[in-house]
Amino acid sequence: MQSINNKRNWIAHAVAIAVVCCWGCTFVNTKYLLMGGMMPWEIFVCRFLLAYVAIWTISPRRLFADNWKDEGLMGLLGITGGSLYFLAENEAIGMSYVNNVSFIVCTAPLITVILAILFLRSVKASWRLIAGSLLALLGVGFVIFNGHFVLHLNPLGDWLALTAAFSWAVYSLLMKFVADRYSAVFITRKVFFYGLLTMAPMFIVRPWQFPLSGFLRSEIWMNLLFLGFIASFACFALWSWAIGRVGAIKTSNYVYLNPLTTIIASALFLNEPMTSMAWVGSALILTGIYLANKAKGI
């Protein structure tokens, strides 16, 4: 029985890595859509709407959670992992430097660890957990800033990026309270629904601008299909399942891989070569994740 559980845990780790690798590549799709004339919130609605429609094909037909408390948790998941996270991150990119935003958003696993130590009795601080988290974050800095850290402050933009990181950390921990009682598919469908619902007021402030004829262009609909069906429909469900198997902190630590997969995607699709600093940072990220996930009590 123990060997079966160990095998399932390794599968969950592999799934989490695959999901983060996929998410790390989505910047290419998003960049093409932005260059094609779509606004960030329009992209969010399209990808989540596609994912929401798709997930109904495999989701239980039940409409609500077991009680109103759990339904409220589902709403919070939709906000923290959907509308608030994506809106804060995209708005931050428009206001601050991309390097600042990328680095700050990648503090999400560290924030997850801090919140878990503060609010979850089952999680204890250990040198492996703290050292691994800080080492991985240092590696992220090497990858993103390429060894040349120049601080360009933009208070509002950087605070929005920190809001996105905090939002994802809360999302990861909240998932812990429902992942063992509801299926990953049901939770994911709820995240999409409440994400779309809470993003709707945005269009009162900033009405839809992208013309419907634009969806006929292959670079638009192909990238949207990937973001909707793969990066959202499949990846969110798999991420929820992985959290249920190995826990919020271990799963969240793989977010540190995000910039690593981004630079690999840049090298493959945008012909941007990896520098020596990127290789050093990659090694630090992998070492840090290994140490943090070897920590006991998480």
Side-chain angles (χ1 to χ4, degrees), residues 34-259:
L34 290 171
M35 290 190 302
M38 295 193 74
M39 295 293 104
W41 48 93
E42 294 172 343
I43 297 171
F44 170 82
V45 167
C46 287
R47 67 181 286 184
F48 263 45
L49 188 59
L50 283 171
Y52 184 64
V53 171
I55 205 166
W56 267 105
T57 62
I58 60 171
S59 176
R61 291 297 180 259
R62 62 185 298 187
L63 293 178
F64 300 106
D66 292 338
N67 52 66
W68 288 110
K69 180 182 177 181
D70 286 354
E71 191 67 24
L73 281 174
M74 299 294 178
L76 288 174
L77 287 170
I79 295 170
T80 54
S83 56
L84 178 60
Y85 172 79
F86 283 100
L87 185 59
E89 182 184 56
N90 290 335
E91 287 292 310
I93 290 173
M95 295 180 182
S96 187
Y97 291 85
V98 174
N99 283 353
N100 286 32
V101 176
S102 299
F103 182 75
I104 293 171
V105 169
C106 279
T107 62
L110 183 59
I111 296 174
T112 304
V113 168
I114 295 171
L115 291 178
I117 292 172
L118 289 175
F119 297 107
L120 299 180
R121 293 181 180 179
S122 59
V123 177
K124 306 296 181 184
S126 69
W127 75 266
R128 282 181 181 270
L129 182 59
I130 302 300
S133 298
L134 293 176
L135 191 63
L137 190 59
L138 178 64
V140 169
F142 271 85
V143 170
I144 293 175
F145 294 101
N146 197 24
H148 301 286
F149 182 77
V150 179
L151 189 62
H152 296 288
L153 290 178
N154 184 300
L156 181 56
D158 293 343
W159 272 107
L160 282 170
L162 186 61
T163 298
F166 185 84
S167 179
W168 189 260
V170 173
Y171 171 79
S172 298
L173 291 179
L174 287 177
M175 189 67 72
K176 179 182 178 66
F177 296 101
V178 295
D180 59 343
R181 294 185 291 114
Y182 297 94
S183 70
V185 173
F186 178 76
I187 295 170
T188 305
R189 196 192 82 210
K190 285 294 188 177
V191 170
F192 293 153
F193 173 76
Y194 284 111
L196 288 167
L197 184 66
T198 52
M199 182 62 82
M202 185 67 185
F203 291 93
I204 299 174
V205 181
R206 296 179 177 177
W208 187 280
Q209 299 177 11
F210 190 70
L212 294 179
S213 60
F215 290 109
L216 298 176
R217 290 151 46 194
S218 60
E219 70 271 19
I220 297 297
W221 63 262
M222 288 180 66
N223 284 295
L224 280 177
L225 286 179
F226 177 83
L227 289 175
F229 292 118
I230 305 300
S232 296
F233 168 50
C235 286
F236 269 79
L238 290 171
W239 188 257
S240 300
W241 177 81
I243 288 177
R245 290 302 311 169
V246 298
I249 294 178
K250 288 185 178 181
T251 308
S252 183
N253 279 334
Y254 289 117
V255 172
Y256 288 124
L257 291 172
N258 217 315

